Amino acid sequence: MTVTFEWRGVVRNEEINQLHAEGFDHAYVEDDWTDLLSRHSLGWVTARDAEGLVGFVNVIWDGQVHAFVEDTLVAHRARRQGIGKKLLAVATEHSKGAGCEWLHVDFDDHLKRFYFDACGFRPTNAGLIHLR
């Protein structure tokens, strides 16, 4: 399978909503990703094969030196092929190119090996307040 990766690649709301529902195992929701990305993102990375969107990651930022990885998604049919790792590599490269000093990520425990071993993130102390 040939997969192409693109920083700030064109993405339709329907396809990202479908990938999000699949990736996070929830019902399909009609979110306006076009608006969300334009207002909050430093950028995002799309991964496509001949059948369409197979991967996505969003990079939000504080407008200065901190960028944050959100919504790392790979379609079930395309997992375990290095797509997630490449999505994060492209996101890291462009975050650095934008002048960011730090790229943050948080994740569920089962993804530790992916983010720490495959993608090069390192553990840090962080805090979290659950608001709802």
Side-chain angles (χ1 to χ4, degrees), residues 8-24:
R8 292 182 156 264
V10 174
V11 64
R12 295 183 335 272
N13 286 330
E14 299 81 23
E15 64 185 350
I16 191 67
N17 283 324
Q18 182 60 44
L19 186 61
H20 199 279
E22 177 185 332
F24 289 111

mmCIF file with all atom_site columns, all heavy atoms in Angstrom, residues 8-24:
data_model
loop_
_atom_site.group_PDB
_atom_site.id
_atom_site.type_symbol
_atom_site.label_atom_id
_atom_site.label_alt_id
_atom_site.label_comp_id
_atom_site.label_asym_id
_atom_site.label_entity_id
_atom_site.label_seq_id
_atom_site.pdbx_PDB_ins_code
_atom_site.Cartn_x
_atom_site.Cartn_y
_atom_site.Cartn_z
_atom_site.occupancy
_atom_site.B_iso_or_equiv
_atom_site.pdbx_formal_charge
_atom_site.auth_seq_id
_atom_site.auth_comp_id
_atom_site.auth_asym_id
_atom_site.auth_atom_id
_atom_site.pdbx_PDB_model_num
ATOM 1   N N   . ARG A 1 8  ? -0.949  19.942 6.623  1.00 0.00 ? 8  ARG A N   1
ATOM 2   C CA  . ARG A 1 8  ? -2.094  20.779 6.297  1.00 0.00 ? 8  ARG A CA  1
ATOM 3   C C   . ARG A 1 8  ? -2.823  20.287 5.050  1.00 0.00 ? 8  ARG A C   1
ATOM 4   O O   . ARG A 1 8  ? -3.320  21.058 4.233  1.00 0.00 ? 8  ARG A O   1
ATOM 5   C CB  . ARG A 1 8  ? -1.700  22.250 6.149  1.00 0.00 ? 8  ARG A CB  1
ATOM 6   C CG  . ARG A 1 8  ? -1.273  22.876 7.468  1.00 0.00 ? 8  ARG A CG  1
ATOM 7   C CD  . ARG A 1 8  ? -0.924  24.370 7.293  1.00 0.00 ? 8  ARG A CD  1
ATOM 8   N NE  . ARG A 1 8  ? -1.079  25.047 8.562  1.00 0.00 ? 8  ARG A NE  1
ATOM 9   C CZ  . ARG A 1 8  ? -2.163  25.720 8.933  1.00 0.00 ? 8  ARG A CZ  1
ATOM 10  N NH1 . ARG A 1 8  ? -3.186  25.824 8.136  1.00 0.00 ? 8  ARG A NH1 1
ATOM 11  N NH2 . ARG A 1 8  ? -2.209  26.301 10.111 1.00 0.00 ? 8  ARG A NH2 1
ATOM 12  N N   . GLY A 1 9  ? -2.859  18.963 4.905  1.00 0.00 ? 9  GLY A N   1
ATOM 13  C CA  . GLY A 1 9  ? -3.545  18.357 3.769  1.00 0.00 ? 9  GLY A CA  1
ATOM 14  C C   . GLY A 1 9  ? -5.040  18.637 3.811  1.00 0.00 ? 9  GLY A C   1
ATOM 15  O O   . GLY A 1 9  ? -5.639  18.806 4.870  1.00 0.00 ? 9  GLY A O   1
ATOM 16  N N   . VAL A 1 10 ? -5.633  18.679 2.641  1.00 0.00 ? 10 VAL A N   1
ATOM 17  C CA  . VAL A 1 10 ? -7.074  18.897 2.543  1.00 0.00 ? 10 VAL A CA  1
ATOM 18  C C   . VAL A 1 10 ? -7.796  17.718 3.190  1.00 0.00 ? 10 VAL A C   1
ATOM 19  O O   . VAL A 1 10 ? -7.446  16.557 2.963  1.00 0.00 ? 10 VAL A O   1
ATOM 20  C CB  . VAL A 1 10 ? -7.494  19.027 1.065  1.00 0.00 ? 10 VAL A CB  1
ATOM 21  C CG1 . VAL A 1 10 ? -9.013  19.114 0.939  1.00 0.00 ? 10 VAL A CG1 1
ATOM 22  C CG2 . VAL A 1 10 ? -6.837  20.241 0.429  1.00 0.00 ? 10 VAL A CG2 1
ATOM 23  N N   . VAL A 1 11 ? -8.764  18.044 4.008  1.00 0.00 ? 11 VAL A N   1
ATOM 24  C CA  . VAL A 1 11 ? -9.548  17.002 4.683  1.00 0.00 ? 11 VAL A CA  1
ATOM 25  C C   . VAL A 1 11 ? -11.006 17.468 4.741  1.00 0.00 ? 11 VAL A C   1
ATOM 26  O O   . VAL A 1 11 ? -11.280 18.635 5.028  1.00 0.00 ? 11 VAL A O   1
ATOM 27  C CB  . VAL A 1 11 ? -8.978  16.685 6.086  1.00 0.00 ? 11 VAL A CB  1
ATOM 28  C CG1 . VAL A 1 11 ? -9.060  17.858 7.022  1.00 0.00 ? 11 VAL A CG1 1
ATOM 29  C CG2 . VAL A 1 11 ? -9.613  15.464 6.680  1.00 0.00 ? 11 VAL A CG2 1
ATOM 30  N N   . ARG A 1 12 ? -11.907 16.568 4.416  1.00 0.00 ? 12 ARG A N   1
ATOM 31  C CA  . ARG A 1 12 ? -13.337 16.871 4.468  1.00 0.00 ? 12 ARG A CA  1
ATOM 32  C C   . ARG A 1 12 ? -13.894 16.477 5.837  1.00 0.00 ? 12 ARG A C   1
ATOM 33  O O   . ARG A 1 12 ? -13.474 15.491 6.429  1.00 0.00 ? 12 ARG A O   1
ATOM 34  C CB  . ARG A 1 12 ? -14.083 16.124 3.370  1.00 0.00 ? 12 ARG A CB  1
ATOM 35  C CG  . ARG A 1 12 ? -13.715 16.556 1.965  1.00 0.00 ? 12 ARG A CG  1
ATOM 36  C CD  . ARG A 1 12 ? -14.534 15.844 0.885  1.00 0.00 ? 12 ARG A CD  1
ATOM 37  N NE  . ARG A 1 12 ? -15.080 14.543 1.239  1.00 0.00 ? 12 ARG A NE  1
ATOM 38  C CZ  . ARG A 1 12 ? -14.439 13.381 1.096  1.00 0.00 ? 12 ARG A CZ  1
ATOM 39  N NH1 . ARG A 1 12 ? -13.210 13.350 0.622  1.00 0.00 ? 12 ARG A NH1 1
ATOM 40  N NH2 . ARG A 1 12 ? -15.036 12.245 1.433  1.00 0.00 ? 12 ARG A NH2 1
ATOM 41  N N   . ASN A 1 13 ? -14.854 17.249 6.312  1.00 0.00 ? 13 ASN A N   1
ATOM 42  C CA  . ASN A 1 13 ? -15.465 16.956 7.607  1.00 0.00 ? 13 ASN A CA  1
ATOM 43  C C   . ASN A 1 13 ? -15.951 15.515 7.701  1.00 0.00 ? 13 ASN A C   1
ATOM 44  O O   . ASN A 1 13 ? -15.732 14.853 8.713  1.00 0.00 ? 13 ASN A O   1
ATOM 45  C CB  . ASN A 1 13 ? -16.628 17.917 7.881  1.00 0.00 ? 13 ASN A CB  1
ATOM 46  C CG  . ASN A 1 13 ? -16.156 19.294 8.246  1.00 0.00 ? 13 ASN A CG  1
ATOM 47  O OD1 . ASN A 1 13 ? -15.094 19.479 8.817  1.00 0.00 ? 13 ASN A OD1 1
ATOM 48  N ND2 . ASN A 1 13 ? -16.950 20.293 7.903  1.00 0.00 ? 13 ASN A ND2 1
ATOM 49  N N   . GLU A 1 14 ? -16.615 15.019 6.659  1.00 0.00 ? 14 GLU A N   1
ATOM 50  C CA  . GLU A 1 14 ? -17.182 13.670 6.694  1.00 0.00 ? 14 GLU A CA  1
ATOM 51  C C   . GLU A 1 14 ? -16.109 12.613 6.916  1.00 0.00 ? 14 GLU A C   1
ATOM 52  O O   . GLU A 1 14 ? -16.294 11.680 7.693  1.00 0.00 ? 14 GLU A O   1
ATOM 53  C CB  . GLU A 1 14 ? -17.928 13.367 5.387  1.00 0.00 ? 14 GLU A CB  1
ATOM 54  C CG  . GLU A 1 14 ? -19.081 14.299 5.109  1.00 0.00 ? 14 GLU A CG  1
ATOM 55  C CD  . GLU A 1 14 ? -18.649 15.634 4.494  1.00 0.00 ? 14 GLU A CD  1
ATOM 56  O OE1 . GLU A 1 14 ? -17.564 15.724 3.876  1.00 0.00 ? 14 GLU A OE1 1
ATOM 57  O OE2 . GLU A 1 14 ? -19.394 16.614 4.667  1.00 0.00 ? 14 GLU A OE2 1
ATOM 58  N N   . GLU A 1 15 ? -14.975 12.748 6.230  1.00 0.00 ? 15 GLU A N   1
ATOM 59  C CA  . GLU A 1 15 ? -13.956 11.707 6.345  1.00 0.00 ? 15 GLU A CA  1
ATOM 60  C C   . GLU A 1 15 ? -13.225 11.762 7.680  1.00 0.00 ? 15 GLU A C   1
ATOM 61  O O   . GLU A 1 15 ? -12.903 10.721 8.255  1.00 0.00 ? 15 GLU A O   1
ATOM 62  C CB  . GLU A 1 15 ? -12.983 11.738 5.165  1.00 0.00 ? 15 GLU A CB  1
ATOM 63  C CG  . GLU A 1 15 ? -12.164 12.982 5.047  1.00 0.00 ? 15 GLU A CG  1
ATOM 64  C CD  . GLU A 1 15 ? -11.305 13.014 3.783  1.00 0.00 ? 15 GLU A CD  1
ATOM 65  O OE1 . GLU A 1 15 ? -11.193 11.990 3.072  1.00 0.00 ? 15 GLU A OE1 1
ATOM 66  O OE2 . GLU A 1 15 ? -10.717 14.070 3.514  1.00 0.00 ? 15 GLU A OE2 1
ATOM 67  N N   . ILE A 1 16 ? -12.980 12.944 8.206  1.00 0.00 ? 16 ILE A N   1
ATOM 68  C CA  . ILE A 1 16 ? -12.314 13.018 9.510  1.00 0.00 ? 16 ILE A CA  1
ATOM 69  C C   . ILE A 1 16 ? -13.283 12.596 10.617 1.00 0.00 ? 16 ILE A C   1
ATOM 70  O O   . ILE A 1 16 ? -12.881 11.925 11.573 1.00 0.00 ? 16 ILE A O   1
ATOM 71  C CB  . ILE A 1 16 ? -11.692 14.411 9.780  1.00 0.00 ? 16 ILE A CB  1
ATOM 72  C CG1 . ILE A 1 16 ? -10.783 14.380 11.007 1.00 0.00 ? 16 ILE A CG1 1
ATOM 73  C CG2 . ILE A 1 16 ? -12.727 15.480 9.937  1.00 0.00 ? 16 ILE A CG2 1
ATOM 74  C CD1 . ILE A 1 16 ? -9.552  13.559 10.858 1.00 0.00 ? 16 ILE A CD1 1
ATOM 75  N N   . ASN A 1 17 ? -14.552 12.929 10.486 1.00 0.00 ? 17 ASN A N   1
ATOM 76  C CA  . ASN A 1 17 ? -15.528 12.474 11.475 1.00 0.00 ? 17 ASN A CA  1
ATOM 77  C C   . ASN A 1 17 ? -15.642 10.953 11.477 1.00 0.00 ? 17 ASN A C   1
ATOM 78  O O   . ASN A 1 17 ? -15.748 10.336 12.540 1.00 0.00 ? 17 ASN A O   1
ATOM 79  C CB  . ASN A 1 17 ? -16.890 13.116 11.216 1.00 0.00 ? 17 ASN A CB  1
ATOM 80  C CG  . ASN A 1 17 ? -16.940 14.553 11.686 1.00 0.00 ? 17 ASN A CG  1
ATOM 81  O OD1 . ASN A 1 17 ? -16.353 14.907 12.697 1.00 0.00 ? 17 ASN A OD1 1
ATOM 82  N ND2 . ASN A 1 17 ? -17.629 15.393 10.938 1.00 0.00 ? 17 ASN A ND2 1
ATOM 83  N N   . GLN A 1 18 ? -15.599 10.327 10.304 1.00 0.00 ? 18 GLN A N   1
ATOM 84  C CA  . GLN A 1 18 ? -15.659 8.867  10.226 1.00 0.00 ? 18 GLN A CA  1
ATOM 85  C C   . GLN A 1 18 ? -14.411 8.241  10.858 1.00 0.00 ? 18 GLN A C   1
ATOM 86  O O   . GLN A 1 18 ? -14.503 7.291  11.634 1.00 0.00 ? 18 GLN A O   1
ATOM 87  C CB  . GLN A 1 18 ? -15.796 8.416  8.770  1.00 0.00 ? 18 GLN A CB  1
ATOM 88  C CG  . GLN A 1 18 ? -15.914 6.925  8.616  1.00 0.00 ? 18 GLN A CG  1
ATOM 89  C CD  . GLN A 1 18 ? -17.130 6.362  9.330  1.00 0.00 ? 18 GLN A CD  1
ATOM 90  O OE1 . GLN A 1 18 ? -18.226 6.923  9.245  1.00 0.00 ? 18 GLN A OE1 1
ATOM 91  N NE2 . GLN A 1 18 ? -16.956 5.282  10.057 1.00 0.00 ? 18 GLN A NE2 1
ATOM 92  N N   . LEU A 1 19 ? -13.236 8.778  10.511 1.00 0.00 ? 19 LEU A N   1
ATOM 93  C CA  . LEU A 1 19 ? -11.994 8.245  11.078 1.00 0.00 ? 19 LEU A CA  1
ATOM 94  C C   . LEU A 1 19 ? -11.952 8.442  12.590 1.00 0.00 ? 19 LEU A C   1
ATOM 95  O O   . LEU A 1 19 ? -11.512 7.559  13.331 1.00 0.00 ? 19 LEU A O   1
ATOM 96  C CB  . LEU A 1 19 ? -10.787 8.912  10.410 1.00 0.00 ? 19 LEU A CB  1
ATOM 97  C CG  . LEU A 1 19 ? -9.413  8.358  10.780 1.00 0.00 ? 19 LEU A CG  1
ATOM 98  C CD1 . LEU A 1 19 ? -9.279  6.889  10.398 1.00 0.00 ? 19 LEU A CD1 1
ATOM 99  C CD2 . LEU A 1 19 ? -8.322  9.182  10.100 1.00 0.00 ? 19 LEU A CD2 1
ATOM 100 N N   . HIS A 1 20 ? -12.425 9.579  13.072 1.00 0.00 ? 20 HIS A N   1
ATOM 101 C CA  . HIS A 1 20 ? -12.458 9.860  14.515 1.00 0.00 ? 20 HIS A CA  1
ATOM 102 C C   . HIS A 1 20 ? -13.374 8.871  15.231 1.00 0.00 ? 20 HIS A C   1
ATOM 103 O O   . HIS A 1 20 ? -13.014 8.323  16.282 1.00 0.00 ? 20 HIS A O   1
ATOM 104 C CB  . HIS A 1 20 ? -12.911 11.303 14.755 1.00 0.00 ? 20 HIS A CB  1
ATOM 105 C CG  . HIS A 1 20 ? -12.556 11.835 16.092 1.00 0.00 ? 20 HIS A CG  1
ATOM 106 N ND1 . HIS A 1 20 ? -13.300 11.564 17.214 1.00 0.00 ? 20 HIS A ND1 1
ATOM 107 C CD2 . HIS A 1 20 ? -11.535 12.629 16.495 1.00 0.00 ? 20 HIS A CD2 1
ATOM 108 C CE1 . HIS A 1 20 ? -12.756 12.176 18.256 1.00 0.00 ? 20 HIS A CE1 1
ATOM 109 N NE2 . HIS A 1 20 ? -11.684 12.828 17.854 1.00 0.00 ? 20 HIS A NE2 1
ATOM 110 N N   . ALA A 1 21 ? -14.559 8.629  14.664 1.00 0.00 ? 21 ALA A N   1
ATOM 111 C CA  . ALA A 1 21 ? -15.500 7.672  15.282 1.00 0.00 ? 21 ALA A CA  1
ATOM 112 C C   . ALA A 1 21 ? -14.886 6.276  15.337 1.00 0.00 ? 21 ALA A C   1
ATOM 113 O O   . ALA A 1 21 ? -14.987 5.584  16.351 1.00 0.00 ? 21 ALA A O   1
ATOM 114 C CB  . ALA A 1 21 ? -16.808 7.663  14.495 1.00 0.00 ? 21 ALA A CB  1
ATOM 115 N N   . GLU A 1 22 ? -14.215 5.874  14.265 1.00 0.00 ? 22 GLU A N   1
ATOM 116 C CA  . GLU A 1 22 ? -13.569 4.565  14.238 1.00 0.00 ? 22 GLU A CA  1
ATOM 117 C C   . GLU A 1 22 ? -12.410 4.494  15.225 1.00 0.00 ? 22 GLU A C   1
ATOM 118 O O   . GLU A 1 22 ? -12.286 3.548  15.995 1.00 0.00 ? 22 GLU A O   1
ATOM 119 C CB  . GLU A 1 22 ? -13.055 4.274  12.823 1.00 0.00 ? 22 GLU A CB  1
ATOM 120 C CG  . GLU A 1 22 ? -12.313 2.968  12.707 1.00 0.00 ? 22 GLU A CG  1
ATOM 121 C CD  . GLU A 1 22 ? -11.695 2.755  11.326 1.00 0.00 ? 22 GLU A CD  1
ATOM 122 O OE1 . GLU A 1 22 ? -12.213 3.282  10.327 1.00 0.00 ? 22 GLU A OE1 1
ATOM 123 O OE2 . GLU A 1 22 ? -10.665 2.058  11.267 1.00 0.00 ? 22 GLU A OE2 1
ATOM 124 N N   . GLY A 1 23 ? -11.575 5.517  15.209 1.00 0.00 ? 23 GLY A N   1
ATOM 125 C CA  . GLY A 1 23 ? -10.371 5.507  16.031 1.00 0.00 ? 23 GLY A CA  1
ATOM 126 C C   . GLY A 1 23 ? -10.640 5.583  17.521 1.00 0.00 ? 23 GLY A C   1
ATOM 127 O O   . GLY A 1 23 ? -9.923  4.981  18.323 1.00 0.00 ? 23 GLY A O   1
ATOM 128 N N   . PHE A 1 24 ? -11.662 6.338  17.898 1.00 0.00 ? 24 PHE A N   1
ATOM 129 C CA  . PHE A 1 24 ? -11.971 6.501  19.319 1.00 0.00 ? 24 PHE A CA  1
ATOM 130 C C   . PHE A 1 24 ? -13.216 5.727  19.732 1.00 0.00 ? 24 PHE A C   1
ATOM 131 O O   . PHE A 1 24 ? -13.721 5.906  20.838 1.00 0.00 ? 24 PHE A O   1
ATOM 132 C CB  . PHE A 1 24 ? -12.095 7.986  19.674 1.00 0.00 ? 24 PHE A CB  1
ATOM 133 C CG  . PHE A 1 24 ? -10.775 8.706  19.653 1.00 0.00 ? 24 PHE A CG  1
ATOM 134 C CD1 . PHE A 1 24 ? -10.496 9.652  18.668 1.00 0.00 ? 24 PHE A CD1 1
ATOM 135 C CD2 . PHE A 1 24 ? -9.795  8.434  20.592 1.00 0.00 ? 24 PHE A CD2 1
ATOM 136 C CE1 . PHE A 1 24 ? -9.276  10.309 18.639 1.00 0.00 ? 24 PHE A CE1 1
ATOM 137 C CE2 . PHE A 1 24 ? -8.571  9.089  20.577 1.00 0.00 ? 24 PHE A CE2 1
ATOM 138 C CZ  . PHE A 1 24 ? -8.315  10.032 19.593 1.00 0.00 ? 24 PHE A CZ  1
#
